[in-house]
Amino acid sequence: MLALLAAAVLLGLSTPIHAQFGPGGPPAVGVVTVQKRPVTETSEFVGRIQATDKVDLVARVTAFLQERLFTEGAEVEQGDLLFRLERGPFEADLEAKQAAVAQIQALLRNATITLNRAQSLLNTPAGQRSTVDDALANQANYAAQLLAAQAQVRASQINLNYTEIRAPVSGKISRSTLSVGNVVTPSSGPLASIVSQDPMYVLFPISVRTALDLRNRYSDKGGVAAVIIRLKLPDGTMYGQIGRLDYVDPSVAANTDTFTLRARIPNPLRPGARPGEPGNRELSDGEFVTVTLEGVQPVLALAIPRSAVLSDQQGSYVYVVDAEKRAQQRRVQLGQSTPDTAVVLAGLQAGETVVADGIQRVRPGIEVNPAPISPPPAVPSAAAPSAPTPAARN
Protein backbone atom coordinates (compact mmCIF):
# COMPACT_ATOMS: atom_id res chain seq x y z
CA MET A 1 0.00 0.00 0.00
CA LEU A 2 2.83 2.43 0.85
CA ALA A 3 4.46 1.71 -2.53
CA LEU A 4 1.21 2.40 -4.37
CA LEU A 5 0.72 5.69 -2.49
CA ALA A 6 4.28 6.79 -3.32
CA ALA A 7 3.77 5.98 -7.02
CA ALA A 8 0.54 7.97 -7.07
CA VAL A 9 2.28 11.01 -5.53
CA LEU A 10 5.10 10.85 -8.10
CA LEU A 11 2.61 10.52 -10.94
CA GLY A 12 0.77 13.60 -9.73
CA LEU A 13 3.97 15.64 -9.60
CA SER A 14 4.89 14.68 -13.19
CA THR A 15 1.46 15.51 -14.63
CA PRO A 16 1.29 18.74 -16.78
CA ILE A 17 -0.35 21.82 -15.34
CA HIS A 18 -3.61 21.29 -17.22
CA ALA A 19 -4.17 17.99 -15.33
CA GLN A 20 -3.27 19.17 -11.80
CA PHE A 21 -6.61 19.46 -10.11
CA GLY A 22 -8.51 17.31 -7.68
CA PRO A 23 -12.12 16.24 -7.90
CA GLY A 24 -13.19 18.83 -5.33
CA GLY A 25 -10.84 21.76 -5.99
CA PRO A 26 -10.75 24.51 -8.67
CA PRO A 27 -9.22 23.51 -12.03
CA ALA A 28 -5.59 24.46 -12.55
CA VAL A 29 -5.04 26.72 -15.56
CA GLY A 30 -2.08 28.45 -17.16
CA VAL A 31 -2.40 32.21 -17.44
CA VAL A 32 -0.49 35.06 -19.10
CA THR A 33 -0.48 38.77 -18.42
CA VAL A 34 -1.74 41.01 -21.22
CA GLN A 35 1.02 43.40 -22.25
CA LYS A 36 2.34 45.21 -25.27
CA ARG A 37 4.87 43.30 -27.34
CA PRO A 38 6.60 43.97 -30.69
CA VAL A 39 4.49 42.46 -33.47
CA THR A 40 5.13 42.51 -37.20
CA GLU A 41 1.98 43.67 -39.00
CA THR A 42 1.05 41.63 -42.05
CA SER A 43 -1.70 41.40 -44.66
CA GLU A 44 -2.19 38.47 -47.02
CA PHE A 45 -3.46 38.41 -50.61
CA VAL A 46 -3.56 36.14 -53.63
CA GLY A 47 -1.23 37.21 -56.45
CA ARG A 48 0.14 36.14 -59.79
CA ILE A 49 3.74 36.22 -61.03
CA GLN A 50 4.37 38.20 -64.22
CA ALA A 51 7.56 38.58 -66.23
CA THR A 52 8.93 42.10 -66.50
CA ASP A 53 9.54 41.58 -70.24
CA LYS A 54 7.76 39.25 -72.64
CA VAL A 55 8.60 39.47 -76.35
CA ASP A 56 7.28 37.60 -79.41
CA LEU A 57 9.87 37.10 -82.16
CA VAL A 58 8.31 37.86 -85.56
CA ALA A 59 9.89 37.88 -89.04
CA ARG A 60 10.13 41.36 -90.59
CA VAL A 61 10.76 40.13 -94.17
CA THR A 62 9.65 37.25 -96.37
CA ALA A 63 12.34 34.59 -96.73
CA PHE A 64 13.20 30.95 -96.13
CA LEU A 65 14.04 30.04 -92.53
CA GLN A 66 17.62 28.87 -93.00
CA GLU A 67 18.93 28.21 -89.48
CA ARG A 68 17.84 28.04 -85.82
CA LEU A 69 20.67 28.84 -83.44
CA PHE A 70 19.26 28.25 -79.94
CA THR A 71 18.12 25.41 -77.69
CA GLU A 72 14.40 25.47 -76.99
CA GLY A 73 13.68 26.28 -73.35
CA ALA A 74 17.17 27.65 -72.71
CA GLU A 75 18.03 31.08 -71.40
CA VAL A 76 19.38 33.56 -73.96
CA GLU A 77 21.13 36.88 -73.55
CA GLN A 78 20.16 40.16 -75.16
CA GLY A 79 21.74 40.37 -78.64
CA ASP A 80 22.14 36.60 -79.16
CA LEU A 81 21.54 35.44 -82.75
CA LEU A 82 18.47 33.16 -82.69
CA PHE A 83 17.28 32.72 -86.32
CA ARG A 84 19.00 33.27 -89.66
CA LEU A 85 16.91 33.73 -92.80
CA GLU A 86 18.07 33.32 -96.39
CA ARG A 87 20.33 36.30 -97.16
CA GLY A 88 21.16 35.90 -100.89
CA PRO A 89 18.25 37.83 -102.44
CA PHE A 90 18.66 40.70 -99.98
CA GLU A 91 22.41 40.94 -100.58
CA ALA A 92 21.83 41.09 -104.36
CA ASP A 93 19.17 43.79 -103.90
CA LEU A 94 21.54 45.81 -101.74
CA GLU A 95 24.33 45.61 -104.34
CA ALA A 96 21.93 46.78 -107.08
CA LYS A 97 20.87 49.77 -104.99
CA GLN A 98 24.51 50.63 -104.28
CA ALA A 99 25.29 50.52 -108.02
CA ALA A 100 22.40 52.91 -108.68
CA VAL A 101 23.88 55.32 -106.15
CA ALA A 102 27.27 55.16 -107.84
CA GLN A 103 25.67 55.87 -111.25
CA ILE A 104 23.77 58.89 -110.00
CA GLN A 105 26.86 60.20 -108.23
CA ALA A 106 28.71 60.15 -111.58
CA LEU A 107 25.89 62.03 -113.30
CA LEU A 108 25.82 64.55 -110.46
CA ARG A 109 29.56 65.20 -110.80
CA ASN A 110 29.14 65.79 -114.53
CA ALA A 111 26.20 68.12 -113.91
CA THR A 112 28.29 70.08 -111.42
CA ILE A 113 31.13 70.47 -113.95
CA THR A 114 28.64 71.67 -116.60
CA LEU A 115 27.15 74.20 -114.17
CA ASN A 116 30.58 75.58 -113.26
CA ARG A 117 31.50 75.97 -116.96
CA ALA A 118 28.23 77.77 -117.76
CA GLN A 119 28.70 80.14 -114.82
CA SER A 120 32.29 80.98 -115.92
CA LEU A 121 31.09 81.89 -119.45
CA LEU A 122 28.11 83.93 -118.24
CA ASN A 123 29.98 87.28 -118.38
CA THR A 124 31.42 86.62 -121.85
CA PRO A 125 29.77 86.93 -125.28
CA ALA A 126 29.48 83.10 -125.39
CA GLY A 127 27.58 82.85 -122.12
CA GLN A 128 23.80 82.77 -121.70
CA ARG A 129 21.63 82.97 -118.60
CA SER A 130 19.37 80.17 -119.89
CA THR A 131 22.33 77.82 -120.12
CA VAL A 132 23.23 78.48 -116.49
CA ASP A 133 19.65 77.95 -115.39
CA ASP A 134 19.40 74.63 -117.24
CA ALA A 135 22.69 73.45 -115.76
CA LEU A 136 21.57 74.46 -112.25
CA ALA A 137 18.27 72.61 -112.61
CA ASN A 138 20.01 69.52 -113.96
CA GLN A 139 22.42 69.47 -110.99
CA ALA A 140 19.55 69.81 -108.48
CA ASN A 141 17.69 66.97 -110.23
CA TYR A 142 20.65 64.58 -109.90
CA ALA A 143 21.20 65.65 -106.27
CA ALA A 144 17.59 64.71 -105.49
CA GLN A 145 17.94 61.39 -107.32
CA LEU A 146 21.07 60.67 -105.27
CA LEU A 147 19.19 61.20 -102.00
CA ALA A 148 16.44 58.85 -103.15
CA ALA A 149 18.96 56.20 -104.21
CA GLN A 150 20.79 56.45 -100.89
CA ALA A 151 17.49 55.98 -99.07
CA GLN A 152 16.90 52.84 -101.13
CA VAL A 153 20.31 51.56 -100.06
CA ARG A 154 19.43 52.11 -96.41
CA ALA A 155 16.11 50.29 -96.86
CA SER A 156 17.86 47.35 -98.51
CA GLN A 157 20.44 47.27 -95.72
CA ILE A 158 17.65 47.22 -93.12
CA ASN A 159 15.93 44.31 -94.89
CA LEU A 160 19.24 42.47 -95.04
CA ASN A 161 19.70 43.00 -91.30
CA TYR A 162 16.21 41.58 -90.73
CA THR A 163 17.44 38.22 -91.99
CA GLU A 164 19.18 37.85 -88.62
CA ILE A 165 16.71 37.69 -85.72
CA ARG A 166 18.40 38.49 -82.42
CA ALA A 167 17.17 38.46 -78.81
CA PRO A 168 15.84 41.92 -77.88
CA VAL A 169 15.85 41.02 -74.15
CA SER A 170 17.45 38.41 -71.92
CA GLY A 171 15.29 35.57 -70.70
CA LYS A 172 14.04 32.04 -71.32
CA ILE A 173 13.04 31.25 -74.90
CA SER A 174 10.10 29.08 -75.87
CA ARG A 175 9.96 26.34 -78.47
CA SER A 176 10.12 27.30 -82.15
CA THR A 177 6.75 27.32 -83.93
CA LEU A 178 8.28 26.74 -87.40
CA SER A 179 11.05 24.40 -88.44
CA VAL A 180 13.98 25.18 -90.71
CA GLY A 181 13.05 25.26 -94.42
CA ASN A 182 9.71 27.00 -94.07
CA VAL A 183 9.00 30.34 -95.69
CA VAL A 184 8.32 32.96 -93.05
CA THR A 185 6.56 36.27 -93.54
CA PRO A 186 5.55 39.14 -91.24
CA SER A 187 2.11 37.51 -91.09
CA SER A 188 3.42 34.07 -90.07
CA GLY A 189 3.00 34.86 -86.38
CA PRO A 190 5.57 34.53 -83.60
CA LEU A 191 8.50 32.23 -84.36
CA ALA A 192 9.21 31.97 -80.61
CA SER A 193 8.78 33.98 -77.40
CA ILE A 194 11.26 35.22 -74.81
CA VAL A 195 10.18 35.59 -71.18
CA SER A 196 12.51 37.49 -68.85
CA GLN A 197 13.46 35.68 -65.63
CA ASP A 198 15.10 38.02 -63.15
CA PRO A 199 13.57 40.08 -61.63
CA MET A 200 9.86 39.22 -61.72
CA TYR A 201 6.68 41.16 -61.01
CA VAL A 202 3.96 39.97 -58.65
CA LEU A 203 0.52 41.53 -59.16
CA PHE A 204 -2.29 41.26 -56.64
CA PRO A 205 -5.67 42.99 -56.11
CA ILE A 206 -6.69 44.58 -52.83
CA SER A 207 -10.02 46.14 -51.91
CA VAL A 208 -10.31 49.92 -51.64
CA ARG A 209 -11.05 49.57 -47.93
CA THR A 210 -7.91 47.51 -47.37
CA ALA A 211 -5.86 49.98 -49.44
CA LEU A 212 -7.02 52.86 -47.27
CA ASP A 213 -6.19 50.88 -44.14
CA LEU A 214 -2.67 50.17 -45.44
CA ARG A 215 -2.19 53.81 -46.37
CA ASN A 216 -3.19 54.96 -42.89
CA ARG A 217 -1.17 52.22 -41.19
CA TYR A 218 2.11 53.08 -42.92
CA SER A 219 1.68 56.80 -43.66
CA ASP A 220 3.88 57.81 -40.72
CA LYS A 221 6.40 55.00 -41.31
CA GLY A 222 7.56 55.95 -44.81
CA GLY A 223 4.62 54.86 -46.95
CA VAL A 224 5.34 52.04 -49.39
CA ALA A 225 9.00 52.17 -48.35
CA ALA A 226 7.90 50.73 -44.99
CA VAL A 227 6.39 47.63 -46.61
CA ILE A 228 8.20 44.54 -47.86
CA ILE A 229 6.72 41.72 -49.91
CA ARG A 230 7.07 38.05 -49.03
CA LEU A 231 5.72 35.18 -51.10
CA LYS A 232 4.39 31.77 -50.19
CA LEU A 233 4.82 29.30 -53.04
CA PRO A 234 2.05 26.89 -54.14
CA ASP A 235 3.62 24.07 -52.07
CA GLY A 236 3.33 26.18 -48.91
CA THR A 237 7.02 27.07 -48.53
CA MET A 238 8.12 30.66 -48.00
CA TYR A 239 10.15 32.16 -50.83
CA GLY A 240 13.59 33.32 -49.70
CA GLN A 241 13.65 36.67 -51.53
CA ILE A 242 11.78 39.84 -50.55
CA GLY A 243 10.19 42.37 -52.90
CA ARG A 244 9.20 46.02 -52.93
CA LEU A 245 6.06 47.74 -54.17
CA ASP A 246 6.74 49.79 -57.30
CA TYR A 247 3.31 50.43 -58.84
CA VAL A 248 -0.30 51.07 -57.81
CA ASP A 249 -3.04 51.00 -60.44
CA PRO A 250 -4.48 54.54 -60.74
CA SER A 251 -8.02 53.22 -61.34
CA VAL A 252 -10.40 51.06 -59.32
CA ALA A 253 -11.87 48.00 -61.04
CA ALA A 254 -15.58 48.70 -61.31
CA ASN A 255 -16.68 45.06 -61.05
CA THR A 256 -14.59 44.14 -57.98
CA ASP A 257 -13.92 47.52 -56.28
CA THR A 258 -10.21 46.67 -56.04
CA PHE A 259 -6.86 48.23 -56.79
CA THR A 260 -4.06 46.31 -58.45
CA LEU A 261 -0.66 46.56 -56.77
CA ARG A 262 2.62 45.43 -58.29
CA ALA A 263 5.89 44.52 -56.62
CA ARG A 264 9.30 43.71 -58.07
CA ILE A 265 11.05 40.69 -56.58
CA PRO A 266 14.37 38.95 -57.44
CA ASN A 267 14.26 35.53 -59.09
CA PRO A 268 17.86 34.26 -59.05
CA LEU A 269 19.04 30.79 -60.05
CA ARG A 270 18.49 28.14 -57.42
CA PRO A 271 21.68 26.97 -55.66
CA GLY A 272 23.46 24.50 -57.91
CA ALA A 273 21.09 25.03 -60.85
CA ARG A 274 22.32 25.78 -64.36
CA PRO A 275 20.81 28.50 -66.59
CA GLY A 276 19.52 26.08 -69.23
CA GLU A 277 17.90 23.37 -67.13
CA PRO A 278 14.15 23.24 -66.36
CA GLY A 279 13.03 24.50 -62.95
CA ASN A 280 16.25 26.40 -62.35
CA ARG A 281 14.35 29.32 -60.79
CA GLU A 282 11.59 29.36 -58.17
CA LEU A 283 9.21 31.82 -59.85
CA SER A 284 7.59 31.30 -63.25
CA ASP A 285 5.51 33.65 -65.37
CA GLY A 286 1.78 33.20 -64.65
CA GLU A 287 2.28 31.30 -61.36
CA PHE A 288 -0.19 31.86 -58.49
CA VAL A 289 1.35 32.71 -55.10
CA THR A 290 0.27 34.00 -51.71
CA VAL A 291 1.46 37.56 -51.15
CA THR A 292 2.20 38.87 -47.66
CA LEU A 293 2.63 42.61 -47.05
CA GLU A 294 4.87 42.90 -44.03
CA GLY A 295 5.94 45.98 -42.11
CA VAL A 296 9.67 46.67 -42.07
CA GLN A 297 9.68 47.43 -38.34
CA PRO A 298 7.59 45.70 -35.64
CA VAL A 299 5.01 47.80 -33.79
CA LEU A 300 3.97 47.62 -30.13
CA ALA A 301 0.54 46.04 -29.66
CA LEU A 302 -1.40 44.14 -27.00
CA ALA A 303 -0.60 40.48 -27.70
CA ILE A 304 -1.70 37.21 -26.13
CA PRO A 305 -1.16 33.57 -27.14
CA ARG A 306 -3.46 32.44 -29.94
CA SER A 307 -4.47 29.47 -27.76
CA ALA A 308 -6.16 31.90 -25.33
CA VAL A 309 -8.73 32.99 -27.93
CA LEU A 310 -11.99 31.12 -28.46
CA SER A 311 -14.76 31.94 -30.90
CA ASP A 312 -18.45 31.35 -31.39
CA GLN A 313 -21.22 32.77 -33.54
CA GLN A 314 -20.91 36.15 -31.81
CA GLY A 315 -17.18 36.46 -32.42
CA SER A 316 -13.94 36.02 -30.47
CA TYR A 317 -13.63 35.92 -26.68
CA VAL A 318 -11.17 35.08 -23.89
CA TYR A 319 -11.40 34.17 -20.21
CA VAL A 320 -10.06 36.84 -17.86
CA VAL A 321 -9.10 35.84 -14.31
CA ASP A 322 -10.28 38.52 -11.86
CA ALA A 323 -8.96 39.39 -8.41
CA GLU A 324 -11.10 36.63 -6.83
CA LYS A 325 -9.55 34.04 -9.17
CA ARG A 326 -12.78 33.62 -11.10
CA ALA A 327 -12.84 33.27 -14.89
CA GLN A 328 -14.92 35.91 -16.66
CA GLN A 329 -15.78 35.75 -20.34
CA ARG A 330 -14.64 38.83 -22.28
CA ARG A 331 -15.39 39.67 -25.91
CA VAL A 332 -12.35 40.91 -27.86
CA GLN A 333 -11.61 42.39 -31.25
CA LEU A 334 -8.55 40.92 -32.95
CA GLY A 335 -6.08 42.56 -35.29
CA GLN A 336 -3.36 40.97 -37.41
CA SER A 337 -3.33 37.56 -35.71
CA THR A 338 -0.83 34.81 -36.47
CA PRO A 339 -0.91 31.06 -35.71
CA ASP A 340 1.02 31.76 -32.47
CA THR A 341 0.05 35.28 -31.41
CA ALA A 342 -3.23 37.21 -31.36
CA VAL A 343 -3.14 41.00 -31.47
CA VAL A 344 -5.99 42.51 -29.46
CA LEU A 345 -7.44 45.79 -30.71
CA ALA A 346 -10.24 46.10 -28.16
CA GLY A 347 -11.65 44.25 -25.13
CA LEU A 348 -8.54 43.92 -22.97
CA GLN A 349 -6.27 46.22 -20.99
CA ALA A 350 -2.58 45.88 -20.30
CA GLY A 351 -1.96 44.09 -16.99
CA GLU A 352 -5.05 41.86 -17.09
CA THR A 353 -4.66 38.07 -16.80
CA VAL A 354 -6.14 35.67 -19.36
CA VAL A 355 -6.34 31.89 -19.44
CA ALA A 356 -4.05 30.35 -22.09
CA ASP A 357 -3.69 26.72 -20.96
CA GLY A 358 -6.39 24.36 -19.67
CA ILE A 359 -9.04 26.59 -21.21
CA GLN A 360 -11.23 23.60 -22.10
CA ARG A 361 -12.10 23.17 -18.38
CA VAL A 362 -13.08 26.80 -17.80
CA ARG A 363 -16.67 28.04 -17.62
CA PRO A 364 -17.82 31.63 -17.06
CA GLY A 365 -17.81 32.57 -13.37
CA ILE A 366 -16.05 29.49 -11.96
CA GLU A 367 -13.08 29.71 -9.63
CA VAL A 368 -9.74 28.58 -11.08
CA ASN A 369 -6.26 27.87 -9.79
CA PRO A 370 -4.01 30.07 -12.04
CA ALA A 371 -0.31 29.56 -12.64
CA PRO A 372 1.92 31.57 -15.03
CA ILE A 373 3.10 30.05 -18.31
CA SER A 374 5.68 31.19 -20.84
CA PRO A 375 4.75 34.36 -22.76
CA PRO A 376 4.19 34.29 -26.53
CA PRO A 377 7.11 34.90 -28.90
CA ALA A 378 8.39 38.48 -28.84
CA VAL A 379 8.50 39.13 -32.59
CA PRO A 380 6.69 36.75 -34.94
CA SER A 381 8.85 36.32 -38.02
CA ALA A 382 7.27 36.23 -41.49
CA ALA A 383 3.86 36.16 -39.83
CA ALA A 384 0.73 35.72 -41.86
CA PRO A 385 -2.87 36.46 -40.85
CA SER A 386 -5.21 33.66 -39.95
CA ALA A 387 -6.97 33.87 -43.32
CA PRO A 388 -6.85 36.10 -46.41
CA THR A 389 -9.39 38.90 -46.47
CA PRO A 390 -12.43 38.31 -48.72
CA ALA A 391 -11.34 41.20 -50.93
CA ALA A 392 -7.97 39.56 -51.41
CA ARG A 393 -9.63 36.53 -52.98
CA ASN A 394 -11.31 38.58 -55.71
Side-chain angles (χ1 to χ4, degrees), residues 47 49 231-238 282-283 287-290:
I49 300 298
L231 302 183
K232 184 185 295 183
L233 301 177
D235 61 358
T237 60
M238 294 300 298
E282 289 287 2
L283 304 180
E287 178 182 4
F288 277 108
V289 293
T290 302

Side-chain angles (χ1 to χ4, degrees), residues 232-247:
K232 184 185 295 183
L233 301 177
D235 61 358
T237 60
M238 294 300 298
Y239 183 50
Q241 302 289 332
I242 62 173
R244 297 283 183 177
L245 290 174
D246 71 343
Y247 172 79

Side-chain angles (χ1 to χ4, degrees), residues 39-43 213 217 334-338 341-343 345 385:
V39 176
T40 301
E41 295 182 313
T42 61
S43 299
D213 177 64
R217 187 189 308 174
L334 300 182
Q336 297 290 329
S337 300
T338 75
T341 304
V343 175
L345 300 180

Side-chain angles (χ1 to χ4, degrees), residues 61-66 84-97 155-157 159-161 163 183:
V61 293
T62 299
F64 282 99
L65 181 57
Q66 184 174 342
R84 182 178 284 118
L85 307 182
E86 185 183 20
R87 296 172 60 87
F90 299 95
E91 291 173 340
D93 180 70
L94 176 60
E95 292 173 357
K97 299 296 176 55
S156 296
Q157 184 65 60
N159 288 334
L160 178 61
N161 294 339
T163 61
V183 176

Side-chain angles (χ1 to χ4, degrees), residues 36 97 115 117 122 155 174 187 201 258 273 277 338 347 351 366 376:
K36 287 188 176 183
K97 299 296 176 55
L115 175 61
R117 183 182 299 115
L122 182 60
S174 70
S187 60
Y201 288 140
T258 58
E277 65 181 4
T338 75
I366 70 169

Side-chain angles (χ1 to χ4, degrees), residues 23-319:
V29 295
V31 296
V32 295
T33 301
V34 180
Q35 56 184 328
K36 287 188 176 183
R37 295 185 176 90
V39 176
T40 301
E41 295 182 313
T42 61
S43 299
E44 192 173 274
F45 307 91
V46 176
R48 183 190 289 272
I49 300 298
Q50 184 183 85
T52 57
D53 296 300
K54 197 171 183 178
V55 180
D56 291 333
L57 303 175
V58 180
R60 304 288 295 273
V61 293
T62 299
F64 282 99
L65 181 57
Q66 184 174 342
E67 194 174 3
R68 175 170 63 84
L69 301 168
F70 64 90
T71 301
E72 295 174 325
E75 293 191 17
V76 297
E77 297 295 328
Q78 184 178 13
D80 286 353
L81 181 60
L82 305 176
F83 293 99
R84 182 178 284 118
L85 307 182
E86 185 183 20
R87 296 172 60 87
F90 299 95
E91 291 173 340
D93 180 70
L94 176 60
E95 292 173 357
K97 299 296 176 55
Q98 290 172 338
V101 168
Q103 182 181 14
I104 296 173
Q105 285 175 336
L107 294 174
L108 178 60
R109 285 195 296 269
N110 184 60
T112 302
I113 294 172
T114 302
L115 175 61
N116 293 335
R117 183 182 299 115
Q119 288 177 335
S120 63
L121 295 174
L122 182 60
N123 296 324
T124 66
Q128 295 182 0
R129 169 58 61 180
S130 60
T131 303
V132 174
D133 293 340
D134 290 342
L136 185 62
N138 195 37
Q139 184 203 41
N141 178 43
Y142 285 128
Q145 290 185 36
L146 179 61
L147 292 175
Q150 290 172 338
Q152 291 294 323
V153 169
R154 287 195 296 272
S156 296
Q157 184 65 60
I158 291 172
N159 288 334
L160 178 61
N161 294 339
Y162 284 156
T163 61
E164 291 185 346
I165 301 177
R166 297 181 178 272
V169 296
S170 299
K172 187 170 291 187
I173 192 167
S174 70
R175 62 183 180 85
S176 178
T177 59
L178 292 175
S179 58
V180 172
N182 284 281
V183 176
V184 296
T185 69
S187 60
S188 297
L191 303 179
S193 299
I194 299 177
V195 179
S196 62
Q197 298 296 298
D198 186 20
M200 284 286 197
Y201 288 140
V202 55
L203 283 80
F204 54 97
I206 68 171
S207 66
V208 175
R209 180 177 178 179
T210 304
L212 295 176
D213 177 64
L214 291 174
R215 183 195 66 184
N216 297 333
R217 187 189 308 174
Y218 296 109
S219 60
D220 58 345
K221 302 180 181 67
V224 295
V227 180
I228 62 175
I229 301 296
R230 296 188 184 273
L231 302 183
K232 184 185 295 183
L233 301 177
D235 61 358
T237 60
M238 294 300 298
Y239 183 50
Q241 302 289 332
I242 62 173
R244 297 283 183 177
L245 290 174
D246 71 343
Y247 172 79
V248 178
D249 201 330
S251 302
V252 177
N255 56 341
T256 59
D257 195 37
T258 58
F259 283 106
T260 297
L261 273 63
R262 188 185 73 188
R264 182 185 291 260
I265 190 165
N267 187 31
L269 289 171
R270 297 173 57 194
R274 293 175 297 177
E277 65 181 4
N280 56 354
R281 300 178 190 268
E282 289 287 2
L283 304 180
S284 299
D285 181 56
E287 178 182 4
F288 277 108
V289 293
T290 302
V291 182
T292 300
L293 269 69
E294 182 178 309
V296 174
Q297 296 180 345
V299 296
L300 290 178
L302 291 178
I304 58 176
R306 194 68 177 84
S307 59
V309 182
L310 301 175
S311 60
D312 56 18
Q313 294 181 349
Q314 299 179 11
S316 300
Y317 65 94
V318 298
Y319 283 111

Side-chain angles (χ1 to χ4, degrees), residues 345-381:
L345 300 180
L348 291 175
Q349 300 293 330
E352 292 186 304
T353 303
V354 298
V355 178
D357 190 19
I359 199 170
Q360 68 274 12
R361 296 186 301 275
V362 179
R363 298 293 180 271
I366 70 169
E367 184 180 354
V368 295
N369 182 19
I373 63 173
S374 300
V379 183
S381 59

